[in-house]
Amino acid sequence: MSSSEPTLRSTTAASPIAPVASAWQTPAELLLLGAVWGGSFLFMRIAAKDFGAFALVEVRLALGALILLPFLLRVKDQLTASHWLRFLGIGVINSAAPFVLFAWAAQRAPAGVVAISNATVVMFTSIVAFMLFGEKISKRSALGLLAGFVGVAVLASGKTAGGGNALHAASAGVFASILYGFGGNFTKRYLHDLPPSAVAAGTVLCASIVVAPLAAATWPSTPIPAVSWLSAVLLGALCTGLAYFLFYRLLYRIGAPRTSTVTYLVPLFGVIWAWVFLSEPLTLSMAIAGALILGGVALSQQRGPARK
């Protein structure tokens, strides 16, 4: 067994519910997931000012849960009280709280800045996996993660150089990323006996139930523009329903640390979508950062030779 393969990866290999994929499928799904999640910051930037953080997140979670619900119904006979408690805890850590933090940040900073803070998920996921579960990081993967982190640093410095103070928004984004780091590892460790699509449905459903009272209490008193409603619908259908389905497939197939490298793609796409649709500036430093980020993702996804 290769030392570059994490412990969770070997657990997945023995699981009959772990999805099997062709060699091209994992990179393609990572790219698609990065593009979709990059778009979430665009949609939050548009809609958060009209909905507010809790109301927007509830729309997002409710639509995502509706789309994913059929996958949960398929395994309803397998669910126990313990599963629902884990859905609830992980739903709060990996969906409800981070979504609210990012929506709050989107009201206070450009979409690109908020997307950049999301890239720290990779670092925190690896740290949590190492500290709590004894995961190992190969030299090749570490080099790829370092290259991606350098790219994120270049992107961050270029984006914020001419803007206002985004400290509070960036801090909220980093705290959300810490929660994602715990959530990804806990999901892989404690919900490994269910199909990934059912896990996505259960956690998002429970998260929507938790946020619902807060959304009702803070629902806007003025009419919400159509463009904000459209953004909220896309946020729920694409960036939650479809994205979480892809995320959990990858999580079970390749493990939490490797899946989290998708967050190197998220700031790249977040900046691109913000430039295209919101006219946020695109600079040379962003292009350099994009090359570093993509190179880091490619390197971190390569497997080293197995040691006998």
Side-chain angles (χ1 to χ4, degrees):
M1 177 177 161
S2 169
S3 64
S4 65
E5 294 297 316
T7 303
L8 295 181
R9 173 68 177 164
S10 61
T11 301
T12 300
S15 173
I17 64 172
V20 179
S22 302
W24 59 267
Q25 191 171 341
T26 292
E29 288 184 0
L30 282 169
L31 186 65
L32 176 60
L33 184 57
V36 171
W37 266 342
S40 69
F41 298 97
L42 167 69
F43 299 139
M44 283 190 288
R45 181 64 173 167
I46 294 172
K49 64 182 184 299
D50 296 311
F51 276 92
F54 291 116
L56 178 59
V57 168
E58 178 56 25
V59 173
R60 176 180 188 176
L61 289 170
L63 286 174
L66 183 63
I67 291 172
L68 293 168
L69 187 59
F71 298 107
L72 187 63
L73 295 176
R74 290 181 183 177
V75 299
K76 63 181 185 299
D77 295 334
Q78 302 176 34
L79 300 179
T80 65
S82 177
H83 284 124
W84 284 107
L85 287 174
R86 293 174 185 182
F87 284 159
L88 179 62
I90 293 174
V92 170
I93 293 172
N94 208 47
S95 297
F99 285 2
V100 169
L101 286 166
F102 278 125
W104 181 87
Q107 296 174 273
R108 293 161 174 81
V113 171
V114 181
I116 289 164
S117 66
N118 184 68
T120 57
V121 171
V122 174
M123 177 178 65
F124 292 120
T125 300
S126 296
I127 290 172
V128 171
F130 172 75
M131 294 183 65
L132 298 186
F133 303 119
E135 295 286 344
K136 294 182 178 180
I137 303 174
S138 70
K139 293 180 180 179
R140 186 191 299 265
S141 294
L143 183 60
L145 295 176
L146 179 61
F149 188 79
V150 171
V152 169
V154 172
L155 188 62
S157 62
K159 181 63 186 173
T160 58
N165 188 346
L167 175 62
H168 294 95
S171 298
V174 170
F175 184 51
S177 298
I178 294 173
L179 293 175
Y180 279 144
F182 281 96
N185 280 286
F186 289 164
T187 298
K188 189 66 180 68
R189 177 67 59 167
Y190 300 119
L191 287 172
H192 59 84
D193 58 333
L194 294 174
S197 54
V199 173
T203 54
V204 171
L205 176 62
C206 288
S208 70
I209 293 171
V210 170
V211 175
L214 298 170
T218 59
W219 194 268
S221 57
T222 57
I224 299 172
V227 66
S228 291
W229 269 112
L230 176 61
S231 296
V233 169
L234 292 174
L235 191 61
L238 294 180
C239 304
T240 307
L242 173 63
Y244 264 55
F245 174 72
L246 291 172
F247 172 74
Y248 281 108
R249 277 172 55 89
L250 288 162
L251 189 67
Y252 277 59
R253 185 191 305 150
I254 62 177
R258 290 181 67 198
T259 299
S260 68
T261 59
V262 71
T263 54
Y264 281 146
L265 292 171
V266 170
L268 174 63
F269 280 106
V271 170
I272 290 173
W273 301 147
W275 171 64
V276 172
F277 295 104
L278 299 179
S279 298
E280 290 187 5
L282 180 65
T283 66
L284 178 61
S285 65
M286 294 178 189
I288 296 172
L292 288 168
I293 291 169
L294 289 172
V297 170
L299 184 60
S300 66
Q301 291 303 301
Q302 293 178 4
R303 299 182 184 181
R307 295 182 182 177
K308 302 296 184 181

